[in-house]
Amino acid sequence: MGKFDAYKIQLKSLPEGVREYRFHIDDKFFSEIDGPEVHKGNVDVLLQVNRKRDTFELKFKLDGVAIVPCDRCLDNMETPVNTENTLSVKFGSGYSEEGDALIVPESEGELNIAWFLYEFVALEIPMKHVHPAGKCNKKMSSVLRKHSGRVAADDSDEDDSTYVEEDDEFYEAASENDPRWDELKKIIDEN
């Protein structure tokens, strides 16, 4: 038995109508699938498969958390996963895509959804993932401030919210000193 056999849906033997499946994907799933974005998490999956002759509509509902490293301090942080996705599947002679439908060989009659589940979770991860202000690893934040040259090296009592505020002040100052922003502000004021 393969490590992802539990995620195979036997489409050919399904009767017409709706059938529900439930899965729980956890750290073991993410480590075995070895995807680049997510390595840990706990996500509950509800899958509804609606068969109409030789076409299938798969509706996925995922709810849980993915654990990813913080971009600032590199400690793990939880990112909520709450998504609904749909996949259309048809039988054909080989694996392919036809418009918005996935074609599965009728001779095999099954679909392994493990990689789809991983991708649905990975797509929920924001481009920038950082802890809320004050929640980052204090030692790492101190090292980051030290090497960014913004705060004295011995100033380790401050939390990372100061660093975030400094980032905001930097971008505000940059926008105030840039004449292109002045021209854009004139356009906004005219409207």
Side-chain angles (χ1 to χ4, degrees), residues 6-178:
Y7 302 97
K8 286 183 181 177
I9 307 297
Q10 300 297 328
L11 298 174
K12 197 169 191 175
S13 62
L14 284 179
E16 286 196 28
V18 178
R19 174 101 192 258
E20 283 191 358
Y21 298 87
R22 293 184 185 273
F23 302 96
H24 179 77
I25 53 179
D26 56 12
D27 294 350
K28 182 180 178 192
F29 171 87
F30 289 109
S31 68
E32 287 179 348
I33 206 155
D34 198 28
E37 300 295 324
V38 183
H39 301 283
K40 293 181 178 182
N42 282 300
V43 180
D44 291 316
V45 179
L46 172 63
L47 169 61
Q48 292 181 330
V49 180
N50 186 4
R51 180 175 186 170
K52 296 177 185 172
R53 295 189 182 188
D54 288 342
T55 62
F56 304 85
E57 182 180 67
L58 285 71
K59 291 185 179 180
F60 298 86
K61 183 174 182 176
L62 287 79
D63 188 34
V65 294
I67 300 170
V68 295
C70 173
D71 288 340
R72 187 179 302 130
C73 72
L74 302 179
D75 279 0
N76 283 338
M77 62 176 283
E78 291 184 351
T79 300
V81 173
N82 190 350
T83 185
E84 294 183 16
N85 301 66
T86 304
L87 179 66
S88 296
V89 180
K90 295 179 183 177
F91 284 135
S93 58
Y95 287 104
S96 65
E97 289 186 37
E98 183 180 287
D100 62 345
L102 177 67
I103 308 300
V104 174
E106 189 170 4
S107 59
E108 290 183 23
E110 67 182 22
L111 176 67
N112 191 320
I113 61 166
W115 186 252
F116 293 106
L117 295 178
Y118 174 80
E119 285 192 342
F120 295 149
V121 171
L123 288 171
E124 284 293 292
I125 306 300
M127 292 295 288
K128 182 178 179 181
H129 30 89
V130 295
H131 285 105
K135 301 295 183 190
C136 273
N137 178 313
K138 303 238 185 278
K139 287 182 181 179
M140 183 61 83
S141 294
S142 175
V143 170
L144 183 61
R145 281 192 303 273
K146 175 183 174 183
H147 290 287
S148 70
R150 292 192 187 169
V151 180
D154 58 30
D155 195 6
S156 60
D157 292 340
E158 293 187 46
D159 63 16
D160 57 300
S161 63
T162 304
Y163 189 75
V164 172
E165 290 167 5
E166 288 174 353
D167 281 349
D168 293 342
E169 290 170 9
F170 172 78
Y171 289 115
E172 286 174 15
S175 66
E176 288 174 9
N177 297 335
D178 191 337

